[in-house]
Amino acid sequence: MPRSSVSKTSSSSLNADHHGRNIVILSHNVSNDVASGYFDVNTLLTGRIDVLARCVNSALWISNGIRKDTSVFLMLFPHNVTIEVRGQEVTGLNPDERTMALCLQRTLLSGNTNSLLQLEWLREKDLKPPDTVNPHKPGSYSKSEKKSFRVVRKHREAMIRRIYRSLNDAGERSDDAPNGFILHTNDSLEERLRLWKSEGGVTNTFMMDELGDPLANVLASRNNKCEQHNNSDGSTTTTIILADQMGYSACDESMLAENDDVTKVSLGPISLLTSQCITITHNLLDIQSAVEA
């Protein structure tokens, strides 16, 4: 992965302290529509927005509250776009996937400079009609096919109307991403790891992989060294790198394998959902924090 600069569409500083936990989700083969914010929050399976929303919720939510020490980084490839969600700054969230999807969409739209033009193109784009026709009426479609076609068109029109409401009256992009949501462009995992290392302090970086060492054992072995591995404010930054349902790319695996600061860990031999891995990892880290305290 080539090195690229990291920029933002928020006044928040990229070099702000990241003490606590960083959850990095690598999402590959993301469509241009999704990376631009053009997706329907009522059909989250399209583009697998449900996976992204579920991962953020798993990373941030605890019972009746938000993990203030956690930041989430959704890295969308091949567009090199990253959505950062800072637990200490988010407000007004609900623990459901649709609310989270709306926040992600609003953040992506805040960085889109050609929203109106792309929306008009999307509105004029013809939907593909059903492949089959009614054999009793050549050239026509059955009632069920016509109904399905109308439902798809209706959903698309509703999506476009919601996106229009996210834009200002002049049709320009909106800079008001939700609190705690920051959009980074020209981003890369390699550059972000290098940035965190340059900030100083101690960072434990783990890559989730079924062939890695058990995370519980790795944390236990480091527990005796916690006094030497504390930052000046008494905390340690832990970064967890995971992939979505598509898995790691060959470039990801090669770059992370060559990074001496990254430890490959696992939660067991069985493949789990990314959101499940985040929840279990949080639990193990919580137990370690309690022991250290």
Side-chain angles (χ1 to χ4, degrees):
M1 182 178 299
R3 177 176 179 177
S4 58
S5 61
V6 180
S7 61
K8 56 182 176 57
T9 59
S10 170
S11 59
S12 300
S13 172
L14 177 63
N15 292 318
D17 291 339
H18 290 281
H19 299 309
R21 301 172 190 177
N22 298 325
I23 308 296
V24 181
I25 297 98
L26 308 181
S27 185
H28 293 279
N29 298 333
V30 176
S31 68
N32 186 64
D33 284 348
V34 170
S36 300
Y38 301 137
F39 53 82
D40 190 350
V41 295
N42 291 324
T43 55
L44 297 181
L45 286 176
T46 303
R48 297 317 308 264
I49 306 301
D50 60 319
V51 174
L52 301 179
R54 197 178 302 123
C55 286
V56 178
N57 282 339
S58 297
L60 292 182
W61 277 98
I62 54 177
S63 180
N64 300 318
I66 295 289
R67 291 183 181 271
K68 300 297 184 181
D69 64 341
T70 299
S71 292
V72 186
F73 297 83
L74 299 177
M75 310 194 75
L76 310 182
F77 300 108
H79 310 282
N80 294 335
V81 172
T82 299
I83 300 176
E84 177 184 358
V85 188
R86 296 181 178 178
Q88 63 181 349
E89 298 178 12
V90 296
T91 58
L93 282 183
N94 291 322
D96 63 284
E97 294 176 12
R98 188 178 185 277
T99 298
M100 181 56 63
L102 283 168
C103 291
L104 298 179
Q105 183 180 60
R106 188 173 158 191
T107 304
L108 290 167
L109 288 172
S110 72
N112 194 337
T113 58
N114 298 308
S115 298
L116 272 188
L117 292 177
Q118 295 189 33
L119 280 177
E120 287 303 321
W121 174 85
L122 187 63
R123 184 188 294 275
E124 297 299 327
K125 181 181 178 182
D126 290 332
L127 291 174
K128 183 180 179 182
D131 294 329
T132 59
V133 298
N134 187 346
H136 304 292
K137 295 182 179 179
S140 64
Y141 303 109
S142 67
K143 289 184 178 180
S144 61
E145 290 169 335
K146 289 180 179 179
K147 181 179 179 181
S148 298
F149 196 57
R150 287 196 302 269
V151 169
V152 173
R153 186 182 296 276
K154 181 180 178 180
H155 286 170
R156 187 178 71 171
E157 288 296 323
M159 178 191 71
I160 293 175
R161 286 196 299 270
R162 282 192 294 270
I163 294 176
Y164 264 115
R165 287 197 294 268
S166 298
L167 303 174
N168 59 32
D169 295 336
E172 299 173 351
R173 69 182 177 88
S174 173
D175 287 322
D176 59 341
N179 291 337
F181 288 73
I182 305 168
L183 184 67
H184 304 283
T185 58
N186 299 322
D187 200 8
S188 71
L189 178 60
E190 182 178 12
E191 183 68 18
R192 190 155 290 282
L193 291 176
R194 184 183 297 112
L195 173 66
W196 288 333
K197 184 177 181 179
S198 68
E199 290 177 347
V202 174
T203 299
N204 294 324
T205 305
F206 301 116
M207 170 189 178
M208 283 294 168
D209 189 282
E210 294 170 11
L211 301 179
D213 298 325
L215 177 59
N217 294 348
V218 173
L219 294 177
S221 66
R222 299 190 181 192
N223 188 42
N224 295 331
K225 304 177 182 179
C226 63
E227 294 184 358
Q228 294 89 342
H229 287 88
N230 279 346
N231 291 333
S232 59
D233 65 349
S235 65
T236 298
T237 302
T238 300
T239 298
I240 307 295
I241 302 172
L242 311 96
D244 64 1
Q245 76 280 1
M246 301 300 295
Y248 296 107
S249 69
C251 182
D252 294 336
E253 292 182 339
S254 176
M255 186 275 291
L256 292 172
E258 295 174 357
N259 191 323
D260 295 334
D261 298 324
V262 177
T263 302
K264 187 179 294 186
V265 296
S266 74
L267 297 175
I270 299 177
S271 295
L272 302 175
L273 297 178
T274 305
S275 56
Q276 294 174 329
C277 292
I278 294 172
T279 301
I280 296 173
T281 300
H282 266 316
N283 177 256
L284 293 175
L285 293 173
D286 292 341
I287 293 174
Q288 182 197 35
S289 299
V291 171
E292 292 177 354

PDB file of all heavy atoms in Angstrom, residues 32-33 38 114-126 156 160 164:
ATOM      1  N   ASN A  32     -18.165   2.672  -5.052  1.00  0.00           N
ATOM      2  CA  ASN A  32     -18.043   4.126  -5.090  1.00  0.00           C
ATOM      3  C   ASN A  32     -19.269   4.791  -4.474  1.00  0.00           C
ATOM      4  O   ASN A  32     -19.158   5.839  -3.823  1.00  0.00           O
ATOM      5  CB  ASN A  32     -17.850   4.588  -6.529  1.00  0.00           C
ATOM      6  CG  ASN A  32     -17.581   6.079  -6.628  1.00  0.00           C
ATOM      7  OD1 ASN A  32     -16.566   6.578  -6.145  1.00  0.00           O
ATOM      8  ND2 ASN A  32     -18.507   6.808  -7.239  1.00  0.00           N
ATOM      9  N   ASP A  33     -20.451   4.191  -4.673  1.00  0.00           N
ATOM     10  CA  ASP A  33     -21.661   4.759  -4.089  1.00  0.00           C
ATOM     11  C   ASP A  33     -21.592   4.768  -2.573  1.00  0.00           C
ATOM     12  O   ASP A  33     -21.936   5.762  -1.926  1.00  0.00           O
ATOM     13  CB  ASP A  33     -22.895   3.962  -4.544  1.00  0.00           C
ATOM     14  CG  ASP A  33     -23.290   4.270  -5.979  1.00  0.00           C
ATOM     15  OD1 ASP A  33     -22.757   5.254  -6.537  1.00  0.00           O
ATOM     16  OD2 ASP A  33     -24.105   3.518  -6.547  1.00  0.00           O
ATOM     17  N   TYR A  38     -23.868   7.341  -0.849  1.00  0.00           N
ATOM     18  CA  TYR A  38     -25.126   7.087  -1.554  1.00  0.00           C
ATOM     19  C   TYR A  38     -25.588   5.649  -1.313  1.00  0.00           C
ATOM     20  O   TYR A  38     -25.342   4.757  -2.122  1.00  0.00           O
ATOM     21  CB  TYR A  38     -24.953   7.349  -3.047  1.00  0.00           C
ATOM     22  CG  TYR A  38     -24.522   8.755  -3.360  1.00  0.00           C
ATOM     23  CD1 TYR A  38     -23.546   9.016  -4.307  1.00  0.00           C
ATOM     24  CD2 TYR A  38     -25.095   9.836  -2.689  1.00  0.00           C
ATOM     25  CE1 TYR A  38     -23.148  10.314  -4.572  1.00  0.00           C
ATOM     26  CE2 TYR A  38     -24.696  11.124  -2.945  1.00  0.00           C
ATOM     27  CZ  TYR A  38     -23.725  11.363  -3.891  1.00  0.00           C
ATOM     28  OH  TYR A  38     -23.331  12.647  -4.146  1.00  0.00           O
ATOM     29  N   ASN A 114     -19.387  16.967  -4.952  1.00  0.00           N
ATOM     30  CA  ASN A 114     -20.236  16.945  -6.147  1.00  0.00           C
ATOM     31  C   ASN A 114     -21.548  16.231  -5.858  1.00  0.00           C
ATOM     32  O   ASN A 114     -22.035  15.444  -6.667  1.00  0.00           O
ATOM     33  CB  ASN A 114     -19.512  16.249  -7.306  1.00  0.00           C
ATOM     34  CG  ASN A 114     -18.245  16.970  -7.702  1.00  0.00           C
ATOM     35  OD1 ASN A 114     -18.268  18.167  -7.947  1.00  0.00           O
ATOM     36  ND2 ASN A 114     -17.141  16.250  -7.745  1.00  0.00           N
ATOM     37  N   SER A 115     -22.128  16.512  -4.698  1.00  0.00           N
ATOM     38  CA  SER A 115     -23.297  15.765  -4.270  1.00  0.00           C
ATOM     39  C   SER A 115     -24.469  15.896  -5.230  1.00  0.00           C
ATOM     40  O   SER A 115     -25.090  14.907  -5.622  1.00  0.00           O
ATOM     41  CB  SER A 115     -23.716  16.230  -2.869  1.00  0.00           C
ATOM     42  OG  SER A 115     -22.686  15.979  -1.938  1.00  0.00           O
ATOM     43  N   LEU A 116     -24.791  17.145  -5.617  1.00  0.00           N
ATOM     44  CA  LEU A 116     -25.967  17.344  -6.465  1.00  0.00           C
ATOM     45  C   LEU A 116     -25.812  16.698  -7.829  1.00  0.00           C
ATOM     46  O   LEU A 116     -26.739  16.075  -8.347  1.00  0.00           O
ATOM     47  CB  LEU A 116     -26.243  18.841  -6.625  1.00  0.00           C
ATOM     48  CG  LEU A 116     -27.143  19.479  -5.561  1.00  0.00           C
ATOM     49  CD1 LEU A 116     -27.475  20.900  -5.959  1.00  0.00           C
ATOM     50  CD2 LEU A 116     -28.407  18.681  -5.371  1.00  0.00           C
ATOM     51  N   LEU A 117     -24.635  16.852  -8.424  1.00  0.00           N
ATOM     52  CA  LEU A 117     -24.419  16.275  -9.746  1.00  0.00           C
ATOM     53  C   LEU A 117     -24.564  14.762  -9.713  1.00  0.00           C
ATOM     54  O   LEU A 117     -25.189  14.159 -10.592  1.00  0.00           O
ATOM     55  CB  LEU A 117     -23.034  16.672 -10.269  1.00  0.00           C
ATOM     56  CG  LEU A 117     -22.832  18.142 -10.607  1.00  0.00           C
ATOM     57  CD1 LEU A 117     -21.388  18.384 -11.042  1.00  0.00           C
ATOM     58  CD2 LEU A 117     -23.801  18.573 -11.706  1.00  0.00           C
ATOM     59  N   GLN A 118     -23.998  14.134  -8.698  1.00  0.00           N
ATOM     60  CA  GLN A 118     -24.073  12.683  -8.610  1.00  0.00           C
ATOM     61  C   GLN A 118     -25.491  12.215  -8.274  1.00  0.00           C
ATOM     62  O   GLN A 118     -25.926  11.160  -8.730  1.00  0.00           O
ATOM     63  CB  GLN A 118     -23.077  12.169  -7.570  1.00  0.00           C
ATOM     64  CG  GLN A 118     -21.629  12.425  -7.968  1.00  0.00           C
ATOM     65  CD  GLN A 118     -20.650  11.720  -7.056  1.00  0.00           C
ATOM     66  OE1 GLN A 118     -20.905  10.643  -6.554  1.00  0.00           O
ATOM     67  NE2 GLN A 118     -19.503  12.332  -6.838  1.00  0.00           N
ATOM     68  N   LEU A 119     -26.218  13.014  -7.475  1.00  0.00           N
ATOM     69  CA  LEU A 119     -27.595  12.646  -7.176  1.00  0.00           C
ATOM     70  C   LEU A 119     -28.474  12.710  -8.411  1.00  0.00           C
ATOM     71  O   LEU A 119     -29.346  11.862  -8.618  1.00  0.00           O
ATOM     72  CB  LEU A 119     -28.147  13.561  -6.087  1.00  0.00           C
ATOM     73  CG  LEU A 119     -27.742  13.234  -4.645  1.00  0.00           C
ATOM     74  CD1 LEU A 119     -28.313  14.273  -3.697  1.00  0.00           C
ATOM     75  CD2 LEU A 119     -28.206  11.850  -4.251  1.00  0.00           C
ATOM     76  N   GLU A 120     -28.261  13.745  -9.251  1.00  0.00           N
ATOM     77  CA  GLU A 120     -29.046  13.849 -10.480  1.00  0.00           C
ATOM     78  C   GLU A 120     -28.740  12.681 -11.408  1.00  0.00           C
ATOM     79  O   GLU A 120     -29.626  12.138 -12.059  1.00  0.00           O
ATOM     80  CB  GLU A 120     -28.739  15.182 -11.176  1.00  0.00           C
ATOM     81  CG  GLU A 120     -29.350  16.392 -10.481  1.00  0.00           C
ATOM     82  CD  GLU A 120     -30.860  16.263 -10.354  1.00  0.00           C
ATOM     83  OE1 GLU A 120     -31.502  15.775 -11.304  1.00  0.00           O
ATOM     84  OE2 GLU A 120     -31.396  16.636  -9.299  1.00  0.00           O
ATOM     85  N   TRP A 121     -27.467  12.290 -11.462  1.00  0.00           N
ATOM     86  CA  TRP A 121     -27.115  11.138 -12.282  1.00  0.00           C
ATOM     87  C   TRP A 121     -27.768   9.873 -11.745  1.00  0.00           C
ATOM     88  O   TRP A 121     -28.276   9.039 -12.501  1.00  0.00           O
ATOM     89  CB  TRP A 121     -25.602  10.958 -12.308  1.00  0.00           C
ATOM     90  CG  TRP A 121     -25.162   9.703 -13.008  1.00  0.00           C
ATOM     91  CD1 TRP A 121     -24.958   9.525 -14.336  1.00  0.00           C
ATOM     92  CD2 TRP A 121     -24.883   8.433 -12.392  1.00  0.00           C
ATOM     93  NE1 TRP A 121     -24.575   8.235 -14.594  1.00  0.00           N
ATOM     94  CE2 TRP A 121     -24.523   7.536 -13.436  1.00  0.00           C
ATOM     95  CE3 TRP A 121     -24.910   7.969 -11.087  1.00  0.00           C
ATOM     96  CZ2 TRP A 121     -24.182   6.223 -13.182  1.00  0.00           C
ATOM     97  CZ3 TRP A 121     -24.581   6.652 -10.840  1.00  0.00           C
ATOM     98  CH2 TRP A 121     -24.218   5.793 -11.876  1.00  0.00           C
ATOM     99  N   LEU A 122     -27.779   9.754 -10.411  1.00  0.00           N
ATOM    100  CA  LEU A 122     -28.377   8.583  -9.805  1.00  0.00           C
ATOM    101  C   LEU A 122     -29.889   8.549 -10.047  1.00  0.00           C
ATOM    102  O   LEU A 122     -30.469   7.491 -10.286  1.00  0.00           O
ATOM    103  CB  LEU A 122     -28.084   8.579  -8.296  1.00  0.00           C
ATOM    104  CG  LEU A 122     -28.485   7.331  -7.505  1.00  0.00           C
ATOM    105  CD1 LEU A 122     -27.704   6.130  -8.003  1.00  0.00           C
ATOM    106  CD2 LEU A 122     -28.249   7.552  -6.016  1.00  0.00           C
ATOM    107  N   ARG A 123     -30.515   9.732 -10.021  1.00  0.00           N
ATOM    108  CA  ARG A 123     -31.959   9.797 -10.240  1.00  0.00           C
ATOM    109  C   ARG A 123     -32.319   9.398 -11.673  1.00  0.00           C
ATOM    110  O   ARG A 123     -33.321   8.726 -11.930  1.00  0.00           O
ATOM    111  CB  ARG A 123     -32.472  11.199  -9.942  1.00  0.00           C
ATOM    112  CG  ARG A 123     -33.990  11.329 -10.045  1.00  0.00           C
ATOM    113  CD  ARG A 123     -34.400  12.785  -9.925  1.00  0.00           C
ATOM    114  NE  ARG A 123     -34.112  13.312  -8.607  1.00  0.00           N
ATOM    115  CZ  ARG A 123     -34.922  13.183  -7.556  1.00  0.00           C
ATOM    116  NH1 ARG A 123     -36.050  12.496  -7.689  1.00  0.00           N
ATOM    117  NH2 ARG A 123     -34.607  13.700  -6.401  1.00  0.00           N
ATOM    118  N   GLU A 124     -31.479   9.830 -12.633  1.00  0.00           N
ATOM    119  CA  GLU A 124     -31.774   9.565 -14.040  1.00  0.00           C
ATOM    120  C   GLU A 124     -31.344   8.172 -14.479  1.00  0.00           C
ATOM    121  O   GLU A 124     -31.744   7.696 -15.537  1.00  0.00           O
ATOM    122  CB  GLU A 124     -31.075  10.610 -14.926  1.00  0.00           C
ATOM    123  CG  GLU A 124     -31.557  12.031 -14.684  1.00  0.00           C
ATOM    124  CD  GLU A 124     -33.039  12.179 -14.986  1.00  0.00           C
ATOM    125  OE1 GLU A 124     -33.511  11.475 -15.901  1.00  0.00           O
ATOM    126  OE2 GLU A 124     -33.709  12.978 -14.316  1.00  0.00           O
ATOM    127  N   LYS A 125     -30.536   7.519 -13.686  1.00  0.00           N
ATOM    128  CA  LYS A 125     -30.043   6.193 -14.052  1.00  0.00           C
ATOM    129  C   LYS A 125     -31.191   5.199 -14.093  1.00  0.00           C
ATOM    130  O   LYS A 125     -31.977   5.088 -13.155  1.00  0.00           O
ATOM    131  CB  LYS A 125     -28.984   5.735 -13.031  1.00  0.00           C
ATOM    132  CG  LYS A 125     -28.388   4.375 -13.347  1.00  0.00           C
ATOM    133  CD  LYS A 125     -27.375   3.998 -12.268  1.00  0.00           C
ATOM    134  CE  LYS A 125     -26.792   2.615 -12.518  1.00  0.00           C
ATOM    135  NZ  LYS A 125     -25.850   2.216 -11.451  1.00  0.00           N
ATOM    136  N   ASP A 126     -31.313   4.508 -15.194  1.00  0.00           N
ATOM    137  CA  ASP A 126     -32.398   3.553 -15.359  1.00  0.00           C
ATOM    138  C   ASP A 126     -32.145   2.314 -14.511  1.00  0.00           C
ATOM    139  O   ASP A 126     -31.024   1.787 -14.482  1.00  0.00           O
ATOM    140  CB  ASP A 126     -32.550   3.132 -16.824  1.00  0.00           C
ATOM    141  CG  ASP A 126     -33.090   4.257 -17.685  1.00  0.00           C
ATOM    142  OD1 ASP A 126     -33.807   5.107 -17.123  1.00  0.00           O
ATOM    143  OD2 ASP A 126     -32.779   4.298 -18.885  1.00  0.00           O
ATOM    144  N   ARG A 156     -35.304   3.780  -3.987  1.00  0.00           N
ATOM    145  CA  ARG A 156     -34.242   4.648  -4.490  1.00  0.00           C
ATOM    146  C   ARG A 156     -34.641   6.110  -4.400  1.00  0.00           C
ATOM    147  O   ARG A 156     -33.844   6.961  -4.017  1.00  0.00           O
ATOM    148  CB  ARG A 156     -33.895   4.279  -5.931  1.00  0.00           C
ATOM    149  CG  ARG A 156     -32.674   5.046  -6.450  1.00  0.00           C
ATOM    150  CD  ARG A 156     -32.296   4.644  -7.856  1.00  0.00           C
ATOM    151  NE  ARG A 156     -33.263   5.110  -8.838  1.00  0.00           N
ATOM    152  CZ  ARG A 156     -33.067   5.033 -10.157  1.00  0.00           C
ATOM    153  NH1 ARG A 156     -31.968   4.488 -10.616  1.00  0.00           N
ATOM    154  NH2 ARG A 156     -33.984   5.464 -10.993  1.00  0.00           N
ATOM    155  N   ILE A 160     -32.783   9.092  -2.263  1.00  0.00           N
ATOM    156  CA  ILE A 160     -32.335  10.352  -2.848  1.00  0.00           C
ATOM    157  C   ILE A 160     -32.926  11.539  -2.093  1.00  0.00           C
ATOM    158  O   ILE A 160     -32.237  12.536  -1.838  1.00  0.00           O
ATOM    159  CB  ILE A 160     -32.704  10.402  -4.343  1.00  0.00           C
ATOM    160  CG1 ILE A 160     -31.893   9.351  -5.113  1.00  0.00           C
ATOM    161  CG2 ILE A 160     -32.456  11.797  -4.924  1.00  0.00           C
ATOM    162  CD1 ILE A 160     -32.265   9.240  -6.577  1.00  0.00           C
ATOM    163  N   TYR A 164     -30.849  14.479  -0.204  1.00  0.00           N
ATOM    164  CA  TYR A 164     -31.079  15.891  -0.506  1.00  0.00           C
ATOM    165  C   TYR A 164     -31.282  16.687   0.780  1.00  0.00           C
ATOM    166  O   TYR A 164     -30.808  17.820   0.905  1.00  0.00           O
ATOM    167  CB  TYR A 164     -32.304  16.053  -1.405  1.00  0.00           C
ATOM    168  CG  TYR A 164     -31.981  16.150  -2.874  1.00  0.00           C
ATOM    169  CD1 TYR A 164     -32.389  15.160  -3.760  1.00  0.00           C
ATOM    170  CD2 TYR A 164     -31.277  17.244  -3.379  1.00  0.00           C
ATOM    171  CE1 TYR A 164     -32.099  15.234  -5.107  1.00  0.00           C
ATOM    172  CE2 TYR A 164     -30.986  17.339  -4.723  1.00  0.00           C
ATOM    173  CZ  TYR A 164     -31.397  16.338  -5.592  1.00  0.00           C
ATOM    174  OH  TYR A 164     -31.102  16.425  -6.916  1.00  0.00           O
TER     175      TYR A 164
END
